[in-house]
Amino acid sequence: MLASGLVLTACALRRRLVAVTVRGASMEPAYRDGDRVLVRRGRLPAPGQVVVVRDLPDTGPTTAPDLGPSATAVPATPAREVPVPALLIKRVAAVPGDPVPRARVAALAGVPERYVPHGQLVLLGDNPAASFDSRHRGYFAAAQVVGTVWRSLPG
């Protein structure tokens, strides 16, 4: 009886928690390349929380409107190969209903809405020089969030 209860508990935890290895320097100094984090699924993120998100080219982050050839707010980023789907770790800057953070996120400077739309998030890396995030891509689809970082795992 006790063994079956433990098995059910373990299965339930596996559905709610997932271990993820951080790749890259985009979240330094909070998380470094190779760090492992435990991610809690099923919770809606709040501003300031760190999330893991699937970056799917066709259904993932949306691109901000083209501002034309004279726009210089966001430097061009060289193309790179990313495994599909890649998992990204980012901090939530704004959720649906929050004001669009135009001053902090140049890629959103030209969007018409005043508030972050339903189903979208603004995600930023802690290390702007090494982060490919909403500053470059605009909104991320909230449906692509794997979960919220709950804690670091010993490494």
Side-chain angles (χ1 to χ4, degrees), residues 11 14 37 62 93 96 116:
C11 288
R14 263 191 264 167
V37 295
T62 57
V116 175

Side-chain angles (χ1 to χ4, degrees), residues 114-138:
R114 293 181 58 196
Y115 300 99
V116 175
H118 176 74
Q120 303 295 316
L121 298 170
V122 178
L123 304 178
L124 302 176
D126 288 357
N127 181 1
S131 185
F132 191 69
D133 53 32
S134 287
R135 287 177 275 246
H136 304 94
R137 297 280 302 266

Side-chain angles (χ1 to χ4, degrees), residues 4 7 9 12 26 52 55-56 62 66 72-74 80 85 88 92 134 139 141 151 154:
S4 64
V7 169
T9 301
S26 73
V52 172
D55 184 16
L56 301 174
T62 57
D66 182 17
T72 57
V74 179
R80 60 195 161 120
L88 307 175
V92 178
S134 287
Y139 297 117
R151 64 180 302 170

